[in-house]
Amino acid sequence: MQFQNNQIYHIYNQGNNRQTVYFSDENYKYFLWKMRAYLLPFGDMIAYCLMPNHFHWLFYVRQTEIKREILRSHVNYIENMRRKDKYGRDAKIVTNDNSSYISKSEMINLNEAIGIIERTYTQAINKELDRSGSLFRKECKAKDGWIDDFVTIEYSDIKRYNNFKKSTDYLYNCFNYIHNNPVSANLTVKDIDWEYSSAQEYAGLRTGLLCNIELGKELMGIDSIQT
C-alpha cells in the first residue's frame, strides 16, 4: 500500500479464505487495543468496523513514517493501559526498552505498523486456540477515500480543507458503508447495535478513545449522525 501524508484511506483486510479472525469478545477488544497502539501515532481513526472475518478502517494519515522509538514508547504506554484495565493491580508493567527497535532502521512506516498489528494478533490467537498459520490475507488493501482515484486533503490551516469538500459522497458513503456492514451481514438490525464499530460513538451512545469523532464530523460537514 502506498500512503501519503494528509490523505484519508479506506483500509481493509479479511481472513484467509474468509475464515473467522475474531472468535470472542476478548479477541475483538484485543485487536482494538492494538489499533489504538500502532495506528494513532500515524494519524486519526475516523471510523472503523470489526466483523467476524474482516475489518474496515477509515483512517486519516497525518504522517506515513515516524521514529521507531516513538512508536515503541506509545505502544508500551497503551499496552500498560490495557493490562491495568484487564488485570488491575496484578498487571505486569511493560518497560520502555526500545533497544530491539532502535537496532533496526530508525524510522518505521504505516505499512510496517499494520503488518505488526496483524502478525502479533495472529500469534496471540494461535497460542490461545492452539492453532498455526496466518489468519489474514497476505496483503491488506487501501483506497483513497471511497474510490480508486486519489482524493487528497490539502489544507492551509486546521479549519479549512480545500480539495476534500465537506459532505462529499466519497467520504460519507464510505463512512456509512463501514458502519452498515453488520446490518448487511444480518448480524444486527441497526448499525448502532454492533458493539465492534464506531457507530455508537457517532450516535453519542458511547465514549471512546480510538476515533477522532470531531474531526470526522468536520470532514463530513455534519453535526450529528442519523441512525
Side-chain angles (χ1 to χ4, degrees):
M1 296 176 289
Q2 293 185 346
F3 295 109
Q4 297 185 29
N5 293 345
N6 302 318
Q7 286 193 22
I8 293 181
Y9 292 87
H10 174 205
I11 304 170
Y12 53 98
N13 202 359
Q14 63 181 195
N16 276 326
N17 300 315
R18 299 183 179 181
Q19 69 175 330
T20 298
V21 294
Y22 309 110
F23 300 89
S24 68
D25 180 65
E26 285 299 313
N27 292 165
Y28 283 103
K29 291 179 179 178
Y30 183 57
F31 195 83
L32 288 170
W33 277 106
K34 285 197 168 292
M35 288 165 56
R36 188 176 168 196
Y38 286 95
L39 295 177
L40 297 193
F42 293 92
D44 295 280
M45 185 66 69
I46 302 302
Y48 70 88
C49 184
L50 306 185
M51 296 287 286
N53 66 351
H54 66 279
F55 65 79
H56 293 273
W57 304 332
L58 190 59
F59 191 69
Y60 175 28
V61 178
R62 294 189 180 274
Q63 47 190 346
T64 60
E65 191 176 55
I66 63 175
K67 287 187 176 181
R68 197 174 291 269
E69 60 183 309
I70 292 177
L71 178 61
R72 185 67 255 166
S73 294
H74 179 78
V75 168
N76 287 347
Y77 172 73
I78 297 299
E79 175 61 15
N80 283 332
M81 292 182 62
R82 184 189 75 83
R83 293 186 181 192
K84 289 178 181 178
D85 180 71
K86 184 174 182 178
Y87 302 110
R89 294 181 178 180
D90 296 327
K92 183 178 179 181
I93 302 301
V94 178
T95 61
N96 287 312
D97 179 13
N98 295 307
S99 58
S100 62
Y101 281 73
I102 297 174
S103 63
K104 300 179 181 180
S105 61
E106 181 183 3
M107 307 298 289
I108 183 170
N109 61 44
L110 179 55
N111 272 310
E112 186 177 351
I114 293 173
I116 293 173
I117 292 175
E118 294 183 338
R119 184 172 63 254
T120 55
Y121 174 78
T122 296
Q123 291 170 351
I125 296 301
N126 284 350
K127 182 178 180 180
E128 175 187 331
L129 301 181
D130 192 23
R131 67 180 301 277
S132 61
S134 60
L135 277 176
F136 297 97
R137 286 188 174 182
K138 184 177 180 180
E139 294 186 1
C140 194
K141 297 183 179 181
K143 294 182 180 180
D144 293 39
W146 175 232
I147 58 175
D148 290 326
D149 299 330
F150 285 103
V151 183
T152 305
I153 300 177
E154 294 182 359
Y155 55 90
S156 56
D157 58 65
I158 193 63
K159 295 299 182 182
R160 183 183 176 192
Y161 298 84
N162 296 326
N163 289 357
F164 207 117
K165 295 181 180 179
K166 291 182 176 181
S167 300
T168 174
D169 287 342
Y170 299 142
L171 178 59
Y172 194 60
N173 284 348
C174 183
F175 174 89
N176 286 327
Y177 169 80
I178 289 173
H179 282 169
N180 198 54
N181 257 238
V183 178
S184 298
N186 295 317
L187 294 175
T188 61
V189 176
K190 295 182 179 181
D191 59 1
I192 57 173
D193 295 332
W194 187 248
E195 185 177 354
Y196 312 112
S197 84
S198 50
Q200 291 185 6
E201 278 93 332
Y202 277 93
L205 301 176
R206 183 177 67 194
T207 301
L209 298 175
L210 179 56
C211 284
N212 188 334
I213 304 298
E214 293 307 313
L215 177 60
K217 290 180 179 180
E218 181 180 358
L219 289 172
M220 288 179 282
I222 53 178
D223 295 323
S224 61
I225 303 297
Q226 300 296 321
T227 60

